Amino acid sequence: MSGLSMAYDYDLFVIGAGSGGVRAARLTALDGKKVAIAEEFRVGGTCVIRGCVPKKFMVMASDFAHQFETAEGYGWTVEASFDWPKFIQAKDVEIARLSGIYAANLGKAGVDLVHGRAVLKDAHTVEIVGKDRTITAEKILIATGGRPWMPETLPGIEHAISSEEAFHLPELPKRILIAGGGYIAVEFAGIFAGLGVETTLIYRGPNILRGFDDDVRAHLAGEIEKRGIKVILGCQHASIEKTETGLVNHLENGMTIETDVVMFATGRIPHVKDLGLETAGVELNDEGAIQVDPHSKTTAANIWAIGDVTDRMNLTPVAIREAVAFHQTVYRDNPQSFDYESVATAVFSQPPVGVVGLSESEARRTCNKGVDVYVTRFRPMKYAFTGSDERVLMKLVVDAETQRVVGVHIVGPEGPEMIQLAAIAVKAGLTKAQWDATCAVHPTMAEELVTLREKQSAANVSAG
Ligand code: NDP
């Protein structure tokens, strides 16, 4: 049972009912502690309400177009049409159902759900804005996530939407321009292009997905162009102008492109505004995220922070692991910190990307005796009858000294599914010989991962 001091209303007060906050609140309440969680929007947070989950539904909706094309090669005749409002409604019903499950699970664990915006008044007190209510807690966990960032000074930026509005467009645009080259930009470009929208992606850098392996970046850029996305690199907006016929994107290189919708996917920033952090002694780091130690403790003695608001690795499963580590550390006397090494990630572009471990250039910097690189590019069997020149990329990066596989990079159908399993082997530190000792499953794409024998020669080593 709770050893709640009479001085406080709660043992733990969590601000933000997203993936991390909900997990921490439930685990702590299930231990018999008195816990409340505040949420100003809907329970579920970014992932469930305006991120991973609705995005994946949109990717799946959009991918059918490609499946229908493939089917025709196999003898099917498909007469397809797409009803955007019907899809949006179905998606919203499912999101509401999932949010309800999250809320119900909080209730089952005995967590009090407080609807409203919580603001810190001091290190132990929060006020629920507009509700004339203050609540005290021995410990506080901040899990407020992030929010989209757009270049506010760009003339005409008020005409642009972020991914958050893209989930609720009243109608499917005919033309869209997406600015940015990260996860969200690439994923939404694929969604809209698949749904038949004339799609342009503009990115300021030399190639999309900065930070990913250079072969992945080059391969994906080529593949999304094959799917009809116009990719403009090394360029950004000068301004956006609203006219009678649409939105005119004036680019710095002098080009103008008219579209119906302009979406900015230029990053997300920690949600710290007006939280009252300074009154509680919670400091930010130089990047504007809440500063935490490896156990997610902030600069205030009784306040912790997890998830995107700390800007460590902004992925849902990571926030959940940070929540578990917080709970173990603070309530189970078992200090834990999440290990950020070899976390697999997926970009749900079309085709998608699955990655775990080091890129080739990172491995070249960190492996003492260099790296062995194994790469294959091939046409998936499924496209044998379609005339498609779509190619899969698979790449293994191996530490030349230890022979451990330190990086796996896949661009192609089911890449995200494959990488989840490959991540086990990378996390376990298995060697290339151990991968090779694993018998193939035939015919699959994944079998390539255990049958790659030929090292990439120095002559065609990736520049990255
Ligand atoms: P990212 O940080 O991935 O990408 C932001 C993009 O915007 C980069 O290409 C960046 O360019 C560009 N950019 C930044 N500032 C400007 C500017 N002033 N003008 C023009 N371009 C600019 O952010 P996202 O918004 O795509 O996603 C946010 C985070 O959410 C991701 O980092 C990821 O952690 C998470 N996420 C994960 C997903 C998944 O797991 N599948 C899906 C979606 C999001 P540059 O590279 O040059 O800095």
Side-chain angles (χ1 to χ4, degrees), residues 149 181-184 187 203-204 210 236 265-267 314-315 346:
W149 178 86
Y183 282 85
I184 296 180
E187 291 180 342
Y203 172 53
R204 63 182 178 179
R210 182 167 63 85
Q236 10 186 16
T266 42
N314 299 335
L315 300 171

Side-chain angles (χ1 to χ4, degrees), residues 291-327:
Q291 186 181 319
V292 286
D293 73 9
H295 300 300
S296 297
K297 191 172 193 169
T298 71
T299 47
N302 68 310
I303 303 182
W304 284 258
I306 56 170
D308 290 5
V309 76
T310 62
D311 198 19
R312 285 174 284 184
M313 192 179 272
N314 299 335
L315 300 171
T316 297
V318 172
I320 291 171
R321 290 301 187 94
E322 289 169 352
V324 173
F326 156 79
H327 170 253

Side-chain angles (χ1 to χ4, degrees), residues 3 20 115 119 123 164 220 225 276 297 308 349 355 385 448-449 453:
H115 291 284
V119 172
E164 302 201 345
L220 184 67
E225 282 188 313
K297 191 172 193 169
D308 290 5
S349 44
V355 168
F385 306 149
E448 295 287 329
L449 293 171
R453 297 288 181 265

Side-chain angles (χ1 to χ4, degrees), residues 46 51-52 55 147-152 163 179-188 202-212 217 235-237 264-269 308 311-317 344-349 353:
T46 303
C52 329
K55 180 273 312 285
R147 59 191 173 86
W149 178 86
M150 293 191 197
E152 283 161 17
S163 57
Y183 282 85
I184 296 180
V186 171
E187 291 180 342
F188 274 86
I202 75 159
Y203 172 53
R204 63 182 178 179
N207 211 344
I208 55 173
L209 290 184
R210 182 167 63 85
F212 283 69
R217 300 171 71 191
C235 189
Q236 10 186 16
H237 275 91
F264 268 67
T266 42
R268 294 179 63 88
I269 54 169
D308 290 5
D311 198 19
R312 285 174 284 184
M313 192 179 272
N314 299 335
L315 300 171
T316 297
T345 181
V347 185
F348 292 96
S349 44
V353 176

Side-chain angles (χ1 to χ4, degrees), residues 441-464:
V441 179
H442 184 72
T444 63
M445 287 181 281
E447 68 182 305
E448 295 287 329
L449 293 171
V450 293
T451 54
L452 283 168
R453 297 288 181 265
E454 206 174 310
K455 276 184 219 171
Q456 187 168 263
S457 67
N460 53 26
V461 159
S462 145

Side-chain angles (χ1 to χ4, degrees), residues 196-245:
V197 180
E198 192 183 311
T199 304
T200 306
L201 181 78
I202 75 159
Y203 172 53
R204 63 182 178 179
N207 211 344
I208 55 173
L209 290 184
R210 182 167 63 85
F212 283 69
D213 185 276
D214 284 338
D215 280 337
V216 169
R217 300 171 71 191
H219 190 89
L220 184 67
E223 292 299 317
I224 67 174
E225 282 188 313
K226 286 181 197 166
R227 298 265 188 126
I229 298 170
K230 184 173 177 189
V231 180
I232 302 175
L233 298 171
C235 189
Q236 10 186 16
H237 275 91
S239 65
I240 303 166
E241 182 194 358
K242 190 169 169 50
T243 65
E244 276 182 10
T245 51

Side-chain angles (χ1 to χ4, degrees), residues 87-422:
F87 163 67
I88 292 293
Q89 196 205 356
K91 169 197 65 100
D92 288 346
V93 167
E94 179 60 8
I95 298 304
R97 188 183 76 84
L98 294 172
S99 178
I101 289 174
Y102 266 63
N105 286 344
L106 283 168
K108 277 186 212 152
V111 178
D112 289 342
L113 177 57
V114 179
H115 291 284
R117 178 173 172 75
V119 172
L120 290 159
K121 289 287 139 190
D122 62 43
H124 291 282
T125 311
V126 295
E127 181 190 317
I128 309 304
V129 178
K131 301 221 169 151
D132 195 21
R133 186 174 173 198
T134 54
I135 298 170
T136 60
E138 185 191 11
K139 296 183 172 73
I140 291 173
L141 177 68
I142 303 170
T144 48
R147 59 191 173 86
W149 178 86
M150 293 191 197
E152 283 161 17
T153 53
L154 180 77
I157 190 69
E158 67 278 10
H159 303 305
I161 61 165
S162 73
S163 57
E164 302 201 345
E165 292 82 45
F167 289 120
H168 303 287
L169 288 174
E171 58 188 39
L172 192 62
K174 289 200 166 39
R175 306 162 297 174
I176 191 167
L177 181 141
I178 299 176
Y183 282 85
I184 296 180
V186 171
E187 291 180 342
F188 274 86
I191 288 167
F192 285 112
L195 293 175
V197 180
E198 192 183 311
T199 304
T200 306
L201 181 78
I202 75 159
Y203 172 53
R204 63 182 178 179
N207 211 344
I208 55 173
L209 290 184
R210 182 167 63 85
F212 283 69
D213 185 276
D214 284 338
D215 280 337
V216 169
R217 300 171 71 191
H219 190 89
L220 184 67
E223 292 299 317
I224 67 174
E225 282 188 313
K226 286 181 197 166
R227 298 265 188 126
I229 298 170
K230 184 173 177 189
V231 180
I232 302 175
L233 298 171
C235 189
Q236 10 186 16
H237 275 91
S239 65
I240 303 166
E241 182 194 358
K242 190 169 169 50
T243 65
E244 276 182 10
T245 51
L247 296 169
V248 179
N249 298 273
H250 296 276
L251 306 186
E252 280 182 344
N253 65 2
M255 268 176 90
T256 56
I257 303 170
E258 189 182 81
T259 57
D260 307 304
V261 173
V262 179
M263 175 176 150
F264 268 67
T266 42
R268 294 179 63 88
I269 54 169
H271 210 321
V272 291
K273 198 162 171 264
D274 301 331
L275 261 181
L277 297 178
E278 49 303 321
T279 61
V282 175
E283 289 173 19
L284 302 182
N285 63 22
D286 293 343
E287 274 73 49
I290 293 184
Q291 186 181 319
V292 286
D293 73 9
H295 300 300
S296 297
K297 191 172 193 169
T298 71
T299 47
N302 68 310
I303 303 182
W304 284 258
I306 56 170
D308 290 5
V309 76
T310 62
D311 198 19
R312 285 174 284 184
M313 192 179 272
N314 299 335
L315 300 171
T316 297
V318 172
I320 291 171
R321 290 301 187 94
E322 289 169 352
V324 173
F326 156 79
H327 170 253
Q328 286 288 325
T329 304
V330 177
Y331 291 106
R332 289 282 180 93
D333 196 21
N334 177 26
Q336 275 191 12
S337 50
F338 178 65
D339 174 8
Y340 296 88
E341 212 168 282
S342 301
V343 173
T345 181
V347 185
F348 292 96
S349 44
Q350 296 178 39
V353 176
V355 168
V356 63
L358 305 179
S359 67
E360 181 180 340
S361 59
E362 284 168 337
R364 287 194 185 284
R365 279 197 299 276
T366 52
C367 296
N368 292 331
K369 297 209 170 139
V371 296
D372 296 338
V373 174
Y374 299 81
V375 183
T376 177
R377 293 178 178 82
F378 59 93
R379 187 172 70 169
M381 189 179 171
K382 193 171 185 179
Y383 302 144
F385 306 149
T386 66
S388 160
D389 62 348
E390 212 168 286
R391 291 277 183 283
V392 169
L393 169 80
M394 287 188 181
K395 176 169 179 175
L396 296 185
V397 181
V398 179
D399 182 327
E401 185 179 20
T402 64
Q403 280 302 299
R404 285 185 171 167
V405 177
V406 292
V408 183
H409 306 269
I410 303 171
V411 184
E414 311 307 340
E417 300 292 339
M418 287 184 246
I419 210 68
Q420 178 67 83
L421 301 178

